[in-house]
Each structure stands twice: as C-alpha cells, then as structure tokens.
Amino acid sequence: AAAGLKMALGIACGLAVHATVAVVGVAAVFERVPPLRRALQWAAALYLLWLACGLLREIFVTWHSGAVAGHELRPNGHPPFVRGLLCNLLNPKVALFLAAVCAPFLSGVHPAWWPVAIWGLVVGQGVLLWSLWVLLLQWRPLRTRYEHAGRWIDGCFALALVALAVRLMVG
C-alpha cells in the first residue's frame, strides 16, 4: 500500500505538470490556432487507436494461449514515486487529453482564479482517485476479482479508447 500510494503521488505530480501546461498555454494556443487543435486531435485519436489495438492483440494472444494477461509490475530500479512520475510525464495522451478538455473551459472571459480552479480540480481528482484505487486494491476480494476480470476490463477499456478516438476524429 505504501509503495502504491507513493506511485499514486508520483502520477499526480506528473498530472500537475500536464495540467499546468494545459491551463497556462496549450489551451490558449488551441483557441487561437484551430488547425493545430484539429491536427493534435487526429494525432491523439490515432494514438488511442494504436493503444486499443495493442490491448486487443494482448487479449487475443492470452485468450488463445490460456495464459493470464501480464499486468504484474516489473521494478525498473526507480523508487515508486519516480516510476509514477515518469509514467505520467512520458504519457502523451495525458497532455493531449488535458489540453483538449481544458480548452473549452478556459475560453472566453473568466475571473483570474478560474484557471487555478481548473488546475486544482484536475490535480485534486488525480490524487484522490489514484490513492483511492491503491487502497481499494489492498482488499483481497476486490484484487482477486480484478485480476480474474483483467481481460474483460482491458477489452472494455480498449473499446472505450476506440470510442474516444472516433469522437476525436468526428469532432
């Protein structure tokens, strides 16, 4: 649980960096240069489709081989906080998603505190939800069910990625 919470905090810190970039600059650039926003939406959609195909391929391979999908953590020598931070910072879909989601809320006239509130909402929910997930997975019945349902969860997530990609392409 302690390592998981440290990793969750690292993820949230990476999210804070992405949220800062989205709130401070990228959203404003998207508002001023719509073709750039559209190009990045298509790039994000193609990336999401690539991720969905990878998940579906893994499900198909493990389903036919009878193996359990490989979701175990492989330590890479970095402490959990650093692994969570790097995982989030190096994830392009976080930056693209936050920029696309924050842009509509930041366009127009708002009070000076509005961007800070958007940032706080994004980062706060990240800390809360990732930490809650870590704590919930400490409960053995939930963890066991989660491990057994891994293929189905991955399949549903892959379909959600496809739906989000289609939504991005359609506009």
Side-chain angles (χ1 to χ4, degrees):
L5 287 172
K6 289 174 186 173
M7 189 172 288
L9 289 176
I11 291 169
C13 286
L15 184 61
V17 171
H18 287 303
T20 301
V21 170
V23 167
V24 171
V26 176
V29 171
F30 279 176
E31 187 177 334
R32 290 186 185 104
V33 188
L36 177 61
R37 179 181 182 156
R38 193 72 185 134
L40 285 176
Q41 281 180 309
W42 273 88
L46 293 173
Y47 180 70
L48 292 174
L49 288 173
W50 179 76
L51 287 175
C53 287
L55 275 173
L56 293 171
R57 187 177 327 115
E58 181 181 339
I59 292 167
F60 181 76
V61 167
T62 58
W63 193 281
H64 289 291
S65 69
V68 176
H71 292 288
E72 64 278 347
L73 290 175
R74 294 174 193 92
N76 62 4
H78 296 296
F81 177 86
V82 174
R83 290 196 329 243
L85 177 66
L86 292 175
C87 175
N88 199 298
L89 283 178
L90 300 175
N91 187 345
K93 70 183 177 299
V94 175
L96 294 171
F97 179 77
L98 283 178
V101 168
C102 288
F105 292 102
L106 295 168
S107 62
V109 178
H110 296 288
W113 56 264
W114 186 250
V116 176
I118 298 292
W119 182 90
L121 183 65
V122 169
V123 175
Q125 67 82 27
V127 170
L128 178 68
L129 294 178
W130 280 109
S131 297
L132 180 61
W133 184 238
V134 166
L135 295 174
L136 286 172
L137 282 177
Q138 301 311 304
W139 186 43
R140 180 158 295 304
L142 177 64
R143 184 173 57 239
T144 301
R145 285 189 180 101
Y146 178 73
E147 289 168 351
H148 289 307
R151 289 184 190 135
W152 291 102
I153 292 169
D154 285 351
C156 291
F157 187 65
L159 294 176
L161 290 176
V162 170
L164 183 57
V166 169
R167 173 71 176 103
L168 283 171
M169 287 187 279
V170 171

